Each structure stands twice: as structure tokens, then as C-alpha cells.
């Protein structure tokens, strides 16, 4: 699912061009058009149809490699590529919480990228691994970042309604998900809880100190194709009004916007005023799937405030996120060697 998004987003890209594709031994040696069961509505780009799919081994691959491997294999394969000198921009979970691996959202914590230099030194690699967060973490953290930076977070509760494309292809059996809600996604709640604190942590002395707030996540799979919706409640360290929070969202800009990185959303957070938005049906593709759409901000009788956030899981939560990481890296000279 994510590999196809990469291929699609790389078509006509101003900075990067798809040159090499690799997957499991099931696909290796086949033309991409035969190996891949293309599930996107946009047609498969012509340029890649005849690419012969490689085995997942370094050597013939270009310097910059985007990884969306199954997490059963990503851990070792990504290390092998980084040791061989490749810049691995990964979407898999295996290395996200390694202390010397940047876990990045360029609109939130671009300064954490400097961890990659420590990583290269400590591991003696010619290349490096840089990661983006879990697809559920992205929308949550994008919506929290302006609050943490201005007012300080104390507590966060998040309940997700996650799309089926988040489970990869072919994903869940129809009989499990049809007309159903599944209140369990293995490992997801733990990922959201740890990654959120790392992403919103402070970078100092070549390490990241996790944010000093607590996060509790409930993750559910629902019968939506793409787009993770989240109900979020928060309490803050500072006394603020609803207007302060709305203003923090509306005015939020960061490095990708300042540098005009290609495909960075002009408005990373879009606030919907209607009482029944955001909705997958109308808001999923805001800013080409790169914006986080929020709404329904109101007081919370248990914590202080509550709201809804929506984010595209295979674009902002996966391939689009990794591409933006690579653009940040290019803009800082990490790809110049
Ligand atoms: N879907 C999402 O919304 C999402 C969001 C964020 C992060 N992620 C993460 O991104 C990764 C990919 O997710 P996905 O949804 O795209 O999964 P997917 O559709 O199941 O694709 C997994 C890919 O891994 C390849 N693979 C499996 N075993 C391999 C092996 N032994 N050697 C080399 N390649 C192998 C598969 O190759 P074949 O094509 O040959 O089978 C396939 O291309 C996962 O780690 C997932 O947790 C997914």
C-alpha cells in the first residue's frame, strides 16, 4: 500500500526520480506491473511498469532509498543498506525509537534530524536511517505541536478510527471488518504513546529528551478505505482559552513552509468551522493529503479541551511523510555526498 504511494508521488517529482524498486522474493525478477497489485485510483506511472523488481539487497540501489518494508524484515534490511552507504528514509516502525535515529515530522521537529550525524559516527556507517512516525501518530502530533510549543502539554487522550489501508495489502479479511469495528490493532497504542513523546521532545546534547506529558491511546480499525480520524482530549500547563488554541492552530508554520519544500502543505493544520467536520469524505485530500484537518474544538469536562483530527494515513502518515523527510534532508545538505 505504501510502496504504491511512493511510486505515485515520485512521478513528476521536481527533486527525486524512481530508479530502482525492490520487494520480497515473491516479486523479485518480475516487471513491476506484474509483481504489484496496483490499488490506487491514479494509474500506475508508465515509467515504472517495466522496471524489473530487485531483491532487497544493497549494491545496485541508488544512494537515497525509501523503505516501506514489512516490519518483520525492515529492521535488518535497513541496517544493511545504511551500513553499505545508503540514506534510508524509512516508514517502517523498527528503528523509530532507537535513540540515535531521527523520528521526524519536518513541520514539528526538524532539529531532531541532527541525530543522524551522531548515528553515523556511533555506528560507523557510511549511510544513515531516518524515520517518520506511525500513521496514527502523525495527525495527533501535528495537531498537538502548536499547543506543546506555546502552552505546554500535560495530558493527552486519543481514540482513533483507523482506515483499513493502514493494515497493508491485502489487509484484513472481509469477514473480519465488514460492518464492524475492531478495538485492537497490535502494537499501535504503544507506538502512538512513545512516538508522540519522542517527536515532541527536546533535542539537546545530541539526544532527544521525551516530552514530559502523558499520552493514552485507544486504537480502533473501522470500515474506511483511507484516512485516520482521531478524537483527542488534552490538558495544558498554561491557562488558555478556546480562541488561544484556535489561533495557535491557524498561525502554525514551520521549516517546510519557510523553505517552500515541494509538496509541503502551505497550511499544515486546517481548522474546519462546521460542527460536523473534519470528515474523511470531504477533508481527506486537503493540501494533497499532507494537511492535518482539525475541528470540533470544545471544553472537555474531564481534561480541559477536546477536538477531532483527520490525517491521510498512506500520504501524510507514510509515503508523503518520508518524501518530506528526504526534502528536509536535501535542503540541509544530508544528501550531498
Ligand atoms: N499502510 C499504512 O497506512 C502505513 C502507514 C505508516 C507506516 N506503515 C508501515 O509501512 C510498512 C509497509 O506497510 P504497507 O501497508 O505498505 O504493507 P504491505 O502492503 O504489506 O507491503 C509490504 C511490502 O514489504 C515487502 N516485503 C515483505 N517481506 C519482504 C521480504 N522478506 N523482503 C523484502 N521485502 C519484503 C512486500 O513485498 P511483496 O510486494 O513482494 O510482497 C511489500 O512490498 C510497514 O512496516 C507498515 O507498518 C504503513
Amino acid at each position: 500500500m505504501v510502496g504504491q504511494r511512493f511510486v505515485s508521488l515520485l512521478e513528476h517529482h521536481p527533486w527525486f526520480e524512481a530508479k530502482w524498486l525492490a520487494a520480497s522474493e515473491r516479486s523479485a525478477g518480475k516487471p513491476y506491473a506484474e509483481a504489484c497489485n496496483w490499488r490506487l485510483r491514479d494509474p500506475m506511472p508508465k515509467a515504472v511498469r517495466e522496471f524489473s523488481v530487485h531483491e532487497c539487497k544493497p549494491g545496485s540501489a541508488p544512494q537515497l532509498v525509501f523503505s516501506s518494508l514489512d516490519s518483520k524484515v525492515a529492521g535488518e534490511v535497513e541496517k544493511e543498506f545504511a551500513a553499505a552507504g545508503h540514506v534510508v528514509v524509512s516508514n517502517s516502525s523498527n528503528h523509530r525509537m532507537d535513540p540515535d535515529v531521527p523520528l521526524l515530522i519536518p513541520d514539528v521537529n526538524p532539529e531532531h534530524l541532527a541525530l543522524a550525524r551522531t548515528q553515523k559516527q556511533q555506528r560507523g556507517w557510511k549511510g544513515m536511517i531516518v524515520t517518520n512516525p506511525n500513521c496514527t501518530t502523525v495527525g495527533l502530533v501535528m495537531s498537538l505541536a502548536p499547543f506543546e510549543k506555546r502552552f505546554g502539554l500535560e495530558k493527552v487522550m486519543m481514540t482513533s478510527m483507523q482506515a483499513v489501508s493502514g493494515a497493508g495489502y491485502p489487509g484484513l479479511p472481509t469477514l473480519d471488518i465488514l460492518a464492524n469495528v475492531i478495538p485492537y490493532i497490535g502494537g499501535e497504542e504503544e507506538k502512538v504513546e512513545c512516538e508522540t513523546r519522542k517527536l515532541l521532545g527536546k533535542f539537546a546534547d545530541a539526544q532527544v529528551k521525551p516530552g514530559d506529558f502523558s499520552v493514552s491511546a485507544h486504537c480502533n480499525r473501522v470500515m474506511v478505505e483511507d484516512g485516520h480520524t482521531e478524537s483527542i482530549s488534552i490538558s495544558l500547563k498554561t491557562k488558555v482559552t478556546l480562541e488561544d488554541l484556535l489561533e495557535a492552530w491557524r498561525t502554525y508554520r514551520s521549516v517546510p513552509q519557510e523553505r517552500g519544500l515541494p509538496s509541503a502543505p502551505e497550511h499544515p493544520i486546517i481548522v474546519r468551522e462546521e460542527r460536523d467536520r473534519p470528515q474523511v469524505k470531504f477533508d481527506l485530500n486537503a493540501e494533497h493529503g499532507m494537511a492535518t484537518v482539525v475541528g470540533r474544538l470544545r471544553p472537555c469536562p474531564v481534561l480541559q479541551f477536546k477536538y477531532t483530527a483527520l490525517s491521510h494515513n498512506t500520504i501524510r502518515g507514510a509515503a508523503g511523510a518520508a518524501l518530506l523527510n528526504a526534502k528536509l534532508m536535501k535542503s540541509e545538505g544530508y544528501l550531498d555526498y
Side-chain angles (χ1 to χ4, degrees):
M1 291 311 302
V2 179
Q4 295 178 25
R5 283 282 177 203
F6 273 121
V7 165
S8 170
L9 292 173
L10 284 166
E11 190 183 21
H12 311 305
H13 196 278
W15 288 8
F16 308 125
E17 187 184 357
K19 284 284 194 192
W20 184 92
L21 298 173
S24 76
E25 58 188 22
R26 290 180 292 276
S27 309
K30 294 183 187 163
Y32 184 60
E34 187 188 319
C36 168
N37 193 346
W38 188 258
R39 306 313 302 158
L40 303 185
R41 286 176 182 78
D42 293 338
M44 179 185 284
K46 280 206 182 77
V48 298
R49 294 186 67 84
E50 298 307 320
F51 275 24
S52 181
V53 178
H54 289 257
E55 275 187 83
C56 238
K57 295 210 175 344
S60 61
Q63 178 209 22
L64 173 62
V65 178
F66 293 105
S67 163
S68 60
L69 292 173
D70 191 313
S71 57
K72 289 192 196 87
V73 295
E76 286 310 308
V77 174
E78 290 176 357
K79 282 201 279 188
E80 225 182 295
F81 274 76
H86 297 278
V87 174
V88 181
V89 179
S90 171
N91 180 57
S92 302
S93 58
N94 307 58
H95 296 292
R96 286 181 195 146
M97 294 307 293
D98 293 3
D100 60 352
V101 171
L103 174 62
L104 280 184
I105 302 179
D107 321 64
V108 172
N109 62 340
E111 69 283 3
H112 291 199
L113 178 55
L115 271 183
R117 298 204 194 279
T118 317
Q119 183 198 121
K120 277 185 79 167
Q121 277 164 10
Q122 284 180 350
R123 304 205 191 197
W125 286 344
K126 284 189 252 141
M128 62 185 83
I129 300 175
V130 168
T131 60
N132 61 259
N134 171 277
C135 46
T136 313
T137 310
V138 176
L140 174 66
V141 170
M142 288 282 289
S143 70
L144 293 174
F147 301 163
E148 167 64 0
K149 286 172 200 248
R150 282 213 208 172
F151 314 120
L153 287 166
E154 197 175 61
K155 290 181 185 156
V156 178
M157 294 271 312
M158 189 279 303
T159 302
S160 71
M161 289 147 272
Q162 300 184 212
V164 288
S165 62
Y169 188 82
L172 297 157
T174 319
L175 282 178
D176 286 354
I177 191 64
L178 188 68
N180 200 12
V181 173
I182 301 175
Y184 174 72
I185 303 175
E188 195 84 346
E189 293 171 353
E190 294 79 0
K191 285 182 203 163
V192 173
E193 290 167 6
C194 310
E195 290 176 17
T196 300
R197 295 183 61 235
K198 180 170 178 179
L199 284 155
L200 293 172
K202 299 266 178 303
F203 179 75
D205 302 326
Q207 54 185 326
V208 173
K209 188 166 171 266
D212 65 342
F213 52 88
S214 51
V215 185
S216 172
H218 302 258
C219 293
N220 305 287
R221 188 75 69 196
V222 298
M223 244 202 59
V224 162
E225 185 183 2
D226 289 314
H228 292 354
T229 304
E230 302 175 3
S231 297
I232 300 163
S233 291
I234 55 168
S235 58
L236 298 160
K237 292 188 178 126
T238 321
K239 206 168 178 315
V240 297
T241 63
L242 287 173
E243 270 316 310
D244 295 329
L245 297 179
L246 285 169
E247 203 253 344
W249 271 341
R250 287 194 181 110
T251 55
Y252 189 73
R253 302 287 182 276
S254 184
V255 166
Q257 290 72 39
E258 287 156 17
R259 293 189 192 160
L261 299 182
S263 85
E266 195 183 330
H267 301 282
I269 302 168
I270 295 177
V271 183
R272 298 298 319 193
E273 309 281 349
E274 303 86 333
R275 64 182 179 182
D276 60 354
R277 299 278 283 273
Q279 286 186 32
V280 168
K281 194 167 178 176
F282 304 113
D283 301 309
L284 184 63
N285 293 316
E287 299 258 14
H288 306 285
M290 289 297 285
T292 297
V293 187
V294 295
R296 303 209 63 224
L297 181 68
R298 57 212 191 277
C300 170
V302 177
L303 299 185
Q304 285 171 327
F305 299 98
K306 53 184 174 176
Y307 60 93
T308 306
L310 168 69
S311 150
H312 197 305
N313 55 298
T314 60
I315 299 182
R316 185 75 221 209
L323 272 165
L324 196 55
N325 282 351
K327 290 167 203 170
L328 177 73
M329 294 173 80
K330 184 167 165 55
S331 75
E332 299 205 359
Y334 279 78
L335 306 184
D336 301 339
Y337 70 95

